[in-house]
Amino acid sequence: VIDVALTVVRAIHFAAVLGLEGSIAFLFVAAGAARLGPATYREVANWSLWVASPLWGVAVLSGGAWLAVLAGQIAGTTAIDAVRQGVDWTLLKETQFGISWLWRAGIAGLLGLALLFAEGRGSGHRICAAAAVVLSIALTGSLAWSGHGAATPGRIGDLHLAADVVHLIASGLSFGALLPFSIVLLFASRGGM
């Protein structure tokens, strides 16, 4: 039986993580390489961070909701009751999903810190920006460990997992960059570049 709540929470989480990766990569890679003037870059950066910051929050909240809803589904109860019973903690400690969830939570925390310090143009800001790009790619790729590829044994499973990682990263780079790219096109149409 497909649990609608689990499907919705996962879809929200995947969309937020993919959007987060694309918007961060677009800001610090594509927009940075476009040789925008300082004022235009600052405006694009503000809009891109305006997109990335809420997506980070949605990714974190939906990740927590995913854990709780899955715990409820496994326990055959509501998410709240499953959390009260400690099913979420058992899921975190004793399953591959839980271990990958903990890794994603750690990556998301580091990504949040990198985003806080990535604004600006100095060398320290560039290091944080580069870290944000790498961490957003790692966060997106790590979603593969919660899918079918991670459950497939043997060499074919390794190949499946690698394909899932590459597919997720590429999806995030293309899907997530659409809104920031649209903003740059808007600036260009106004003659702001």
Side-chain angles (χ1 to χ4, degrees):
V1 177
I2 295 176
D3 186 336
V4 174
L6 185 61
T7 302
V8 169
V9 167
R10 278 186 59 153
I12 291 169
H13 185 69
F14 271 68
V17 169
L18 295 175
L20 181 61
E21 176 200 7
S23 62
I24 290 169
F26 182 84
L27 169 61
F28 297 120
V29 177
R35 296 190 179 116
L36 304 174
T40 303
Y41 180 84
R42 188 77 245 139
E43 199 166 352
V44 170
N46 287 340
W47 276 102
S48 293
L49 289 172
W50 180 83
V51 170
S53 298
L55 285 173
W56 180 85
V58 171
V60 169
L61 292 174
S62 62
W66 182 3
L67 175 65
V69 170
L70 182 60
Q73 185 182 36
I74 289 170
T77 185
T78 66
I80 294 170
D81 286 342
V83 170
R84 285 184 186 147
Q85 296 167 8
V87 177
D88 58 334
W89 186 244
T90 302
L91 185 62
L92 286 173
K93 292 188 313 184
E94 298 180 16
T95 67
Q96 180 175 319
F97 170 83
I99 293 166
S100 68
W101 189 95
L102 288 169
W103 276 101
R104 281 195 308 276
I107 293 168
L110 291 172
L111 177 56
L113 289 173
L115 285 174
L116 280 174
F117 298 107
E119 294 184 54
R121 287 278 192 174
S123 62
H125 299 292
R126 279 187 287 243
I127 292 169
C128 289
V133 171
V134 170
L135 289 166
S136 68
I137 290 170
L139 182 62
T140 302
S142 70
L143 288 170
W145 275 267
S146 62
H148 296 291
T152 308
R155 290 181 188 233
I156 194 72
D158 295 340
L159 182 61
H160 189 178
L161 183 62
D164 283 354
V165 169
V166 170
H167 184 245
L168 283 162
I169 291 169
S171 297
L173 291 173
S174 59
F175 167 75
L178 290 177
L179 184 57
F181 180 64
S182 300
I183 293 167
V184 168
L185 289 178
L186 180 66
F187 289 134
S189 71
R190 292 182 182 173
M193 298 181 134

